[in-house]
Amino acid sequence: MTIFRTLLAGYALLLAALGLAPVALAADCAKERFEGSDFIVCTIDPATEDLRLFWRDESGAPYRHFSAVANAVSEAGATLSLAINAGMYDGDYAPIGLYVEGGQEMARVNTESVEGPPASVPNFYKKPNGVFFIATDGAGILETGAFIATQPDVTFATQSGPLLVQDNALHPALIPGSTDRTRRSGVGVCESGMVRLAISEGRVNFDDFARLFRDHLGCADALFLDGGRGAGLYHPALRRNDFSWHGGYGPMLGVVE
């Protein structure tokens, strides 16, 4: 499989050089450009790939760093091929919303509301927010209230906000042309149940980031994960092992091979 992916990546790079395809960085990730901004987008098929959430190690301490997760996965005889931050967290790196790992609920769903002008409301509380989850029949994103009402049987779940795209509709509070620009990361569930992880290479606003998922990547549902110093990517093939200036990350999404 590794040899096949290497050959496929090389072939895609050749096509890109000829102007026939986007710049493929690895078999599962590509550099995408949308409306003048650069992104790295990774596509995962949850039906065939092992996509998991990680938060705490066997001692109960938060991993905090992608390398710590990679080491733990390696000790179990596997490889962490890709990871991204997976939701917002508090000062001790604990998720501030729902977190389910291996079918075990480790943090409860957060239905708290914060009132005030939109600019003063923290991103997690810009309703609607939502839950990204992985179940036996695939991945999904649901608005938090809908997730509570339907109670899907999930193996992994992480709550974050705002919900960028819901049933092909953009979050109502997003402002086209907003000057609130920073690095951002998010997750979308797209055609045929494919999961797409995206992280911006530079600063973008929420509206541009949401439309990347809906208009460029074809994702009917997408969830913001974090921004600024809380957004990071791990991908050895791309020589990426980002470090959070917060001292580490909370939950992390990763693909295990």
Side-chain angles (χ1 to χ4, degrees):
M1 180 62 73
T2 300
I3 294 174
F4 173 75
R5 288 191 171 194
T6 301
L7 291 173
L8 184 59
Y11 178 65
L13 282 169
L14 176 61
L15 290 179
L18 296 173
L20 300 176
V23 178
L25 301 176
D28 53 1
C29 294
K31 185 174 181 179
E32 303 275 356
R33 189 165 181 81
F34 177 67
E35 295 190 352
S37 296
D38 292 324
F39 303 86
I40 292 177
V41 178
C42 300
T43 301
I44 300 148
D45 183 353
T48 60
E49 297 182 79
D50 189 359
L51 179 61
R52 309 180 191 175
L53 278 163
F54 300 89
W55 172 27
R56 298 190 299 200
D57 61 22
E58 291 184 352
S59 72
Y63 284 111
R64 295 174 51 192
H65 308 296
F66 293 129
S67 294
V69 177
N71 290 339
V73 170
S74 178
E75 289 173 1
T79 300
L80 183 72
S81 60
L82 164 68
I84 197 170
N85 60 288
M88 298 168 196
Y89 48 94
D90 58 24
D92 62 357
Y93 308 101
I96 63 175
L98 176 72
Y99 182 84
V100 178
E101 183 178 327
Q104 178 183 359
E105 183 180 295
M106 301 173 69
R108 300 184 63 181
V109 66
N110 186 337
T111 59
E112 181 182 352
S113 294
V114 174
E115 303 299 330
S120 68
V121 177
N123 288 330
F124 182 93
Y125 300 100
K126 294 182 189 298
K127 301 291 184 72
N129 56 18
V131 177
F132 168 75
F133 62 89
I134 303 169
T136 55
D137 59 348
I141 294 174
L142 285 174
E143 184 272 329
T144 298
F147 183 89
I148 294 170
T150 57
Q151 296 186 350
D153 184 14
V154 303
T155 306
F156 297 97
T158 181
Q159 183 185 9
S160 192
L163 193 59
L164 297 171
V165 186
Q166 182 180 9
D167 294 331
N168 280 310
L170 299 181
H171 191 290
L174 303 189
I175 303 171
S178 171
T179 58
D180 179 15
R181 302 171 66 87
T182 188
R183 293 179 64 244
R184 302 189 190 275
S185 63
V187 56
V189 176
C190 317
E191 76 285 349
S192 303
M194 302 298 283
V195 173
R196 289 199 166 95
L197 305 173
I199 185 167
S200 66
E201 292 282 73
R203 297 180 177 185
V204 297
N205 64 37
F206 266 128
D207 184 71
D208 291 344
F209 195 49
R211 288 187 299 103
L212 167 81
F213 280 101
R214 187 189 67 175
D215 302 340
H216 186 66
L217 302 178
C219 304
D221 298 284
L223 181 67
F224 179 64
L225 292 174
D226 210 343
R229 296 177 293 179
L233 179 71
Y234 171 87
H235 199 307
L238 308 183
R239 299 183 179 180
R240 287 285 293 266
N241 185 6
D242 296 350
F243 180 84
S244 170
W245 290 3
H246 293 302
Y249 301 105
M252 290 173 267
L253 269 167
V255 175
V256 175
E257 298 182 349

